[in-house]
Amino acid sequence: MLSMKAKYALKALGYLARKPDTRFGIERIAEAENIPYKFLEAILTELRKSNVIDSKRGAAGGVKLARAPKDISIGDVIRLMDGPIALLPCASITRYRACDDCPDEAACRLRQVMIDARLAIADVLDERTLADLASRSPLPSERRLTDDDLG
Amino acid sequence: MLSMKAKYALKALGYLARKPDTRFGIERIAEAENIPYKFLEAILTELRKSNVIDSKRGAAGGVKLARAPKDISIGDVIRLMDGPIALLPCASITRYRACDDCPDEAACRLRQVMIDARLAIADVLDERTLADLASRSPLPSERRLTDDDLG
DNA sequence: CATAATTCCTACTTATCCTATAGGAATAAA
DNA sequence: TTTATTCCTATAGGATAAGTAGGAATTATG
């Protein structure tokens, strides 16, 4: 499961992605997305330090995305907030770490399964971006065959 | 990430899966797989209560799988130990729960992404079983084209 | 310049979960 | 009866999650 932190981050970023060039106050985002204000503030601080958002202080200040929505993947946001996507450290691509209890990693069947799992899920999460959270058009998985598809 | 509990469970069950009809003592499994003995004991108690393993007390006692390795999926073991596989409660099939902060689930773009992610990962984890952890033959993802395939 | 609006920073809290560990009771085989 | 084993209850230390509080710093605006 994602932490609330990661979930709130994605919701807030999805909100920003709908108007990527507008600066919004944290309070407004918090209210719109039902996120505790102070918690969201802390989350956005992290996202700023990771250069995902760009913020401005003072009156008429606020936050906005640092890049185009399509250039910020869901997977990256999750990694920033919750760490690796893989289910075992030894199956992580971005943050590999050996299991200290494993005598022979190359022969570990569990690892191979977990690598397959991590590839499957990262395929989805790295393909989808904040643009998908903002758009009104259906995601790939939501598409149905139409007459156009059938030619 | 999986908890140590889930990882140890899978390793122990993988060990049992290599000789499904033999009863092994917990101590032996703990040593073979580098799992803290008392911790493993607690884990196996849970697995017994969930009818994954079958245990016998006393001298010459021990544990063995309650079913054939191929009938125990990796996904199910993870669900028993760590809970739902989905990244959000609202994207879980086996343990759906609405997000209390979500005003309109049907319109939630994030949910749709998370449903796709959960389908992708469950596809792998529910397809693979303890038999895959025991076998010496390559998993699907490990297969390479051979002359037979090209034949 | 004063004021109001806003983010930024530091610290704190509270509860829950994770990862075990300890000791002995119950059971079963030899 | 002894020995090997699982079963049960209890405990514990540390980390993490999910916030909360208060004020400092910054900026636009009248």
Side-chain angles (χ1 to χ4, degrees):
Chain A
M1 286 275 168
L2 293 185
S3 66
M4 296 305 278
K5 194 169 113 182
K7 176 174 150 187
Y8 290 158
L10 287 167
K11 288 180 69 175
L13 292 173
Y15 184 89
L16 293 176
R18 289 204 272 274
K19 291 199 172 181
D21 296 322
T22 310
R23 225 175 258 288
F24 291 99
I26 296 176
E27 192 170 9
R28 174 158 171 193
I29 305 172
E31 275 167 17
E33 298 291 341
N34 288 310
I35 303 171
Y37 172 73
K38 276 294 193 179
F39 195 12
L40 179 57
E41 208 180 80
I43 291 167
L44 291 178
T45 295
E46 266 191 74
L47 289 172
R48 175 181 50 82
K49 289 183 177 162
S50 307
N51 297 313
V52 174
I53 62 171
D54 165 72
S55 65
K56 196 179 161 193
R57 287 174 164 197
V63 300
K64 68 185 190 69
L65 296 184
R67 279 168 278 149
K70 72 168 175 42
D71 292 333
I72 302 172
S73 82
I74 311 250
D76 283 341
V77 176
I78 292 176
R79 286 188 193 93
L80 282 172
M81 297 289 109
D82 283 359
I85 280 171
L87 294 180
L88 289 181
C90 67
S92 172
I93 313 282
T94 58
R95 290 196 228 174
Y96 166 84
R97 249 187 45 231
C99 299
D100 28 344
D101 55 303
C102 190
D104 182 3
E105 185 173 274
C108 182
R109 324 287 314 163
L110 187 55
R111 178 173 187 236
Q112 196 54 55
V113 172
M114 292 307 162
I115 286 177
D116 292 347
R118 119 89 226 199
L119 289 174
I121 192 167
D123 240 25
V124 173
L125 298 178
D126 288 334
E127 212 52 38
R128 309 295 172 79
T129 70
L130 298 187
D132 292 313
L133 297 187
S135 74
R136 287 268 163 264
S137 65
L139 300 176
S141 64
E142 295 173 307
R143 294 190 66 233
R144 296 285 174 274
L145 285 183
T146 67
D147 286 351
D148 278 3
D149 289 308
L150 299 173
Chain B
M1 286 277 167
L2 294 186
S3 65
M4 296 305 277
K5 194 169 115 183
K7 177 175 149 187
Y8 290 158
L10 286 167
K11 288 180 69 175
L13 292 173
Y15 184 89
L16 292 177
R18 290 205 272 275
K19 292 200 172 181
D21 296 323
T22 310
R23 224 173 260 287
F24 292 99
I26 296 176
E27 192 170 9
R28 175 158 172 192
I29 305 172
E31 275 168 16
E33 299 291 342
N34 288 309
I35 304 171
Y37 172 72
K38 277 295 193 177
F39 196 11
L40 179 57
E41 208 180 80
I43 291 167
L44 291 178
T45 296
E46 266 189 76
L47 290 172
R48 176 180 51 81
K49 289 183 178 163
S50 307
N51 297 312
V52 174
I53 62 170
D54 165 73
S55 65
K56 196 179 160 193
R57 288 176 164 195
V63 299
K64 67 185 190 68
L65 297 183
R67 281 167 278 148
K70 73 169 174 40
D71 292 332
I72 302 172
S73 82
I74 310 247
D76 283 341
V77 175
I78 292 177
R79 287 188 192 91
L80 281 173
M81 297 289 109
D82 283 0
I85 279 170
L87 293 179
L88 290 181
C90 68
S92 173
I93 313 281
T94 57
R95 288 197 229 174
Y96 166 83
R97 248 186 47 230
C99 299
D100 28 344
D101 55 302
C102 190
D104 182 3
E105 184 174 274
C108 181
R109 326 284 316 163
L110 187 55
R111 178 174 188 236
Q112 195 55 54
V113 173
M114 292 307 161
I115 287 176
D116 292 348
R118 118 91 225 198
L119 289 173
I121 193 168
D123 240 25
V124 173
L125 297 178
D126 287 335
E127 212 53 37
R128 309 296 171 79
T129 70
L130 298 187
D132 292 312
L133 297 187
S135 75
R136 287 269 163 263
S137 65
L139 300 176
S141 66
E142 294 173 307
R143 295 189 66 233
R144 296 285 174 274
L145 286 182
T146 66
D147 286 350
D148 278 3
D149 289 307
L150 300 171

